[in-house]
Amino acid sequence: MVPAETSSDQPSLDPTDLSPVLSPEGWALLNRLSAEGSYREADALSLSTRLRKDGHAPKLVSAVLTQLRLRGKAEAKFGPFAESMVLTQAGLEQATRLQVAALHAGRFAGAGVRHVADLGCGLGADSMAMASLDLQVTAVERDPTVAAAATVNLMPFPTAQVVCADAVQWAQQAGALPAELPDGGPSPEAGEVAEGGAQGAPDGFWLDPARRVLSSSGSSRVFDPEVFSPPLSFVEQLADSGVAVGVKMGPGIPHGAVPAGCEAQWVSVGGEVTEAVLWFNAVARPNVRRAALVLGSGPDPASPAEITSPQDFGDSHAAEVAGVGGVGGWLYEPDGAVIRAGLVADLVAREFGGVRGRLLDEHIAYFCADEQVETPFARAYEVLTVMPYHVKSLRRWVKDTGVTRLDIKKRGMAVTPEEVRRLLMSGQKGKGAGAGRHTTLVLTRVGQERLAIEVRPV
């Protein structure tokens, strides 16, 4: 393990000062309180007061309580591993869930990769998963605060080491890139890169680029892949060298920004789309251009389910196979990963052909079928009533049918569920809500026709 450097001239992505926590006193206090389960957000002030009365410095107490709070939040991503990790707020927000990181690691191991460079490793979640498969891992992190956290988090893994360095410069020194920077500048001298690079050039690279920029007012999310750090063009340069490359992107990456020749896989966990991963070379599967991977949530999630297509974005003929038809029977809302990957029509064609599955509109993600089909890729709703979308007539329908609780979903319409609910339910509050009717409306359009569809969730 190579300890992260500390440098006052390198900006920190997170303002948390880890030095008090990493002192012998701070580390012992943090782990004692964590083991005791002594921390609750509501008791933070009283606990802080007690620890200061016990003689602990205010700066140390603040740092320890920050770590306890972050460890509590981290349980959803890291499970029991969170109890011994050092964390930063920004690093936790971007960190990969452990069950997803395990799948990333499996890609590299399955492709025969033995040494992975995790460029921009953050807190080290993906590095932990790779090292747990006995892969040699060099975790490279530019920010010294985050690198310090990753160093502690990777200490249990003898095949992993952390280097505090710039990802682009480190990759050049490792021989994975030409001796010229992407912007045309000269390559750095060896002394400009932190010592302790892994022995032997990596045969795989993993990247989770920073998707936030810092300013005097804080940080803000960016969406242009060329503004990421490192940018997507840097990832393509790595891939052009022929090594195995995987890069985690935000799930909203436009299809037009996905490079040619890679596999694009969108991943959802418990119904939430968490990432899009671009896989190049040995870690890209043959005949897979687009994929949607659906995972359950919780400590024992259901088996992963995946739908794939070999066809490029916009080239699929699945919409012609699925066809477009009217509303009725059962309405389905696809998982967000299926929608992001552009695989709605593929899903309808593959799993709903025998029950007359059809799209409502080629540009709308909802689809219908004559029967209920259990699938991990979509949620089913029984269609009860189909009405034109007219606020006045819908308000009358709410009153006449005794609706006192109304859930609203929508696609393809420039309205907000909150505003529609306010308009339709105006005057209905306080009229026997406990004995009233609770129902769900789906607002969507078919062609130019706007519809309100009453459904019953399954």
Side-chain angles (χ1 to χ4, degrees):
M1 301 285 287
V2 179
E5 299 175 353
T6 57
S7 173
S8 59
D9 59 358
Q10 285 186 275
S12 174
L13 297 177
D14 190 282
T16 303
D17 181 7
L18 296 180
S19 57
V21 172
L22 298 180
S23 67
E25 178 189 358
W27 189 244
L29 179 61
L30 170 62
N31 289 315
R32 176 173 65 80
L33 293 175
S34 184
E36 293 174 354
S38 304
Y39 180 82
R40 292 193 312 161
E41 193 73 35
D43 299 332
L45 181 59
S46 60
L47 179 58
S48 174
T49 301
R50 177 169 63 83
L51 292 175
R52 293 185 185 189
K53 286 183 178 180
D54 290 342
H56 298 293
K59 187 176 180 180
L60 183 145
V61 171
S62 176
V64 166
L65 294 187
T66 295
Q67 286 301 307
L68 290 173
R69 176 177 57 83
L70 291 175
R71 283 181 174 184
K73 291 183 176 181
E75 288 182 6
K77 285 190 173 183
F78 301 124
F81 289 96
E83 296 177 2
S84 59
M85 293 180 69
V86 173
L87 306 160
T88 66
Q89 180 65 46
L92 179 58
E93 290 175 357
Q94 186 161 325
T96 304
R97 296 168 187 260
L98 208 55
Q99 70 183 105
V100 180
L103 297 176
H104 299 162
R107 281 275 188 138
F108 287 100
V113 175
R114 298 309 306 158
H115 178 188
V116 182
D118 185 354
L119 302 185
C121 68
L123 297 175
D126 282 290
S127 290
M128 291 167 60
M130 294 172 193
S132 70
L133 296 182
D134 294 327
L135 297 178
Q136 183 181 355
V137 180
T138 303
V140 182
E141 174 56 51
R142 179 179 62 185
D143 183 273
T145 298
V146 181
T151 298
V152 175
N153 297 338
L154 287 167
M155 285 180 66
F157 302 96
T159 62
Q161 63 174 347
V162 178
V163 179
C164 186
D166 177 81
V168 176
Q169 293 181 349
W170 189 92
Q172 283 186 308
Q173 191 184 32
L177 284 177
E180 192 171 275
L181 293 173
D183 63 2
S187 63
E189 297 297 329
E192 295 179 53
V193 182
E195 296 181 355
Q199 297 180 355
D203 53 347
F205 287 84
W206 171 256
L207 301 96
D208 185 359
R211 295 180 286 277
R212 286 186 173 273
V213 294
L214 294 177
S215 65
S216 57
S217 59
S219 66
S220 58
R221 189 176 296 276
V222 293
F223 299 95
D224 181 358
E226 281 307 297
V227 183
F228 295 170
S229 180
L232 184 55
S233 57
F234 167 74
V235 177
E236 293 183 81
Q237 279 190 305
L238 281 176
D240 288 343
S241 70
V243 295
V245 176
V247 56
K248 174 182 171 181
M249 309 294 285
I253 181 174
H255 292 169
V258 177
C262 73
E263 172 193 337
Q265 181 190 51
W266 277 262
V267 180
S268 74
V269 180
E272 176 189 358
V273 188
T274 59
E275 65 182 30
V277 182
L278 308 183
W279 299 103
F280 298 82
N281 302 326
V283 284
R285 294 172 291 183
N287 299 316
V288 177
R289 172 58 169 161
R290 296 173 289 145
L293 178 65
V294 177
L295 305 172
S297 58
D300 297 309
S303 299
E306 189 175 34
I307 183 170
T308 67
S309 172
Q311 296 176 314
D312 205 353
F313 303 97
D315 292 345
S316 176
H317 302 293
E320 300 175 10
V321 176
V324 178
V327 181
W330 297 83
L331 178 78
Y332 290 85
E333 180 181 26
D335 183 271
V338 176
I339 297 172
R340 295 282 191 179
L343 291 169
V344 176
D346 299 75
L347 172 61
V348 177
R350 295 181 192 187
E351 295 198 8
F352 292 82
V355 292
R356 208 172 73 83
R358 67 270 184 190
L359 302 171
L360 297 188
D361 184 286
E362 291 185 1
H363 305 290
I364 300 296
Y366 293 129
F367 62 92
C368 279
D370 286 351
E371 297 178 15
Q372 181 187 357
V373 174
E374 290 189 12
T375 174
F377 300 112
R379 185 179 183 186
Y381 298 83
E382 183 183 4
V383 175
L384 303 178
T385 311
V386 181
M387 301 167 282
Y389 177 75
H390 296 304
V391 172
K392 187 175 181 179
S393 59
L394 287 173
R395 288 186 64 180
R396 185 180 306 112
W397 168 79
V398 164
K399 182 179 180 180
D400 292 346
T401 59
V403 175
T404 54
R405 291 179 59 197
L406 183 62
D407 296 331
I408 297 178
K409 306 178 70 67
K410 69 102 178 182
R411 285 193 181 276
M413 290 179 58
V415 297
T416 65
E418 294 77 15
E419 177 63 13
V420 173
R421 184 183 298 106
R422 185 186 66 80
L423 291 172
L424 300 188
M425 299 299 294
S426 177
Q428 293 297 107
K429 294 181 180 179
K431 295 187 176 181
R437 197 164 69 93
H438 179 195
T439 194
T440 301
L441 273 185
V442 174
L443 310 180
T444 190
R445 62 175 177 82
V446 176
Q448 297 302 312
E449 184 180 11
R450 300 196 300 174
L451 298 177
I453 307 169
E454 184 186 8
V455 298
R456 178 184 295 117
V458 177

